[in-house]
Amino acid sequence: MVSDLLLPTGLHSLDELLGGGLPISGNLLLYGDPLCGKKPLLMQFIYEGLRMNIPGIFVLTDYGFAEWKQMMHSSGWKIDEYEKNGLLQIVDCYSKQYDPSLVDEGIVTYVNGAEDLSTISMQLAGLQEQIVQIADNHRLGFHSLSSLLETNPHESVYRFMQFITGKFRRTGATAMYVMEKGMHDERHVRMVEHLMDGLIEFQ
C-alpha cells in the first residue's frame, strides 16, 4: 500500500525499493555515468506526475526543449496535452546560446545560459508562484547540475542550490536533479549531496 505521503515515480521496481515512491516534499539527486539511465528516470518522474495532474517543471541546460520533447515522444511519453493545459512548464537554458532571437512562447521560458543563475532562480520562483495557486504540490526535473558547475564558480552554484532546494522543500514540491559522475571534484559532489534529501547513484 502506498503512503499518502509518497508519490510513485512510475518505475515499479524503483517504487518498490523506495517503499512506495518518493516523498511529496524533498530533493533527490540522480548521480551516475553518462548514458546510465538518469535522463529516462527524470523524464518518467515528471511524466508520471503529469498523468496524476501534478504540475511539472523541466529546467534544461544540456538540451533545448524541442530536442527534449522529441526524446520524450520517442520513448512513448506524449506531452502535447500537458503543454495545452499548462501543467508542464519549461525553463530552457540551452537554446538561446545558439539562437539569441528566441523569445518566451507558450510554456517555454528562455534563459541566456547555464551561467545565468539569477535569472534561472527568478524564473523558477515565478513559475512556483503560479503553480501553488492551482495545485497542492508539483515536481521539478533539473538536467543538469553538471552544466552549472562547469560554467559558474562553485560557491555561486552552492548558494543557488541552497535557495532552490529550500524553496522546493517549503512549497511541498518534489525535485529531482541530474549530476554526471566523473566530471567533478569529490568535494563539489559532496557539497551538492549535502543539500539533498536523498541520492540515487547509478552503478
Side-chain angles (χ1 to χ4, degrees):
M1 178 175 164
V2 177
S3 166
D4 291 338
L5 298 178
L6 296 174
L7 289 173
T9 64
L11 296 176
H12 299 302
S13 57
L14 178 58
D15 288 336
E16 287 181 4
L17 288 172
L18 295 171
L22 295 172
I24 288 177
S25 175
N27 298 277
L28 181 70
L29 180 65
L30 306 182
Y31 183 59
D33 293 323
L35 304 178
C36 68
K38 302 184 298 300
K39 192 186 313 110
L41 175 53
L42 186 73
M43 291 176 170
Q44 179 70 62
F45 166 69
I46 296 294
Y47 186 70
E48 184 68 17
L50 294 171
R51 290 179 61 243
M52 299 167 63
N53 290 318
I54 299 172
I57 303 170
F58 273 129
V59 177
L60 305 175
T61 64
D62 297 348
Y63 302 91
F65 176 57
E67 186 177 359
W68 188 266
K69 180 179 178 179
Q70 180 57 44
M71 286 189 285
M72 292 199 73
H73 276 220
S74 65
S75 298
W77 299 318
K78 309 298 184 183
I79 59 175
D80 303 76
E81 170 188 350
Y82 308 111
E83 290 184 75
K84 292 176 183 175
N85 64 20
L87 277 183
L88 179 63
Q89 296 291 326
I90 308 296
V91 180
D92 184 336
C93 308
Y94 180 84
S95 299
K96 206 164 184 177
Q97 301 172 89
Y98 304 99
D99 185 357
S101 67
L102 287 170
V103 294
D104 299 352
E105 182 179 8
I107 66 167
V108 185
T109 300
Y110 293 101
V111 175
N112 288 330
E115 69 279 4
D116 196 350
L117 297 179
S118 61
T119 301
I120 298 172
S121 296
M122 289 172 53
Q123 295 298 340
L124 282 175
L127 289 173
Q128 282 192 311
E129 287 179 13
Q130 298 174 35
I131 289 173
V132 297
Q133 304 300 318
I134 62 170
D136 294 331
N137 57 75
H138 55 285
R139 295 184 174 189
L140 169 73
F142 202 116
H143 195 291
S144 73
L145 296 183
S146 291
S147 295
L148 303 189
L149 288 165
E150 290 297 300
T151 55
N152 295 280
H154 299 118
E155 294 78 10
S156 298
V157 176
Y158 185 74
R159 289 194 297 271
F160 168 82
M161 289 303 300
Q162 276 185 311
F163 174 77
I164 296 300
T165 55
K167 191 166 181 58
F168 272 83
R169 213 175 275 120
R170 287 193 301 274
T171 55
T174 309
M176 190 178 281
Y177 310 83
V178 167
M179 190 172 179
E180 302 295 342
K181 195 172 187 177
M183 287 182 61
H184 311 290
D185 185 282
E186 190 68 18
R187 178 168 58 93
H188 301 136
V189 175
R190 296 289 172 256
M191 172 186 78
V192 173
E193 289 180 353
H194 172 71
L195 298 170
M196 297 292 151
D197 302 298
L199 166 70
I200 296 179
E201 184 169 358
F202 292 72
Q203 300 294 334

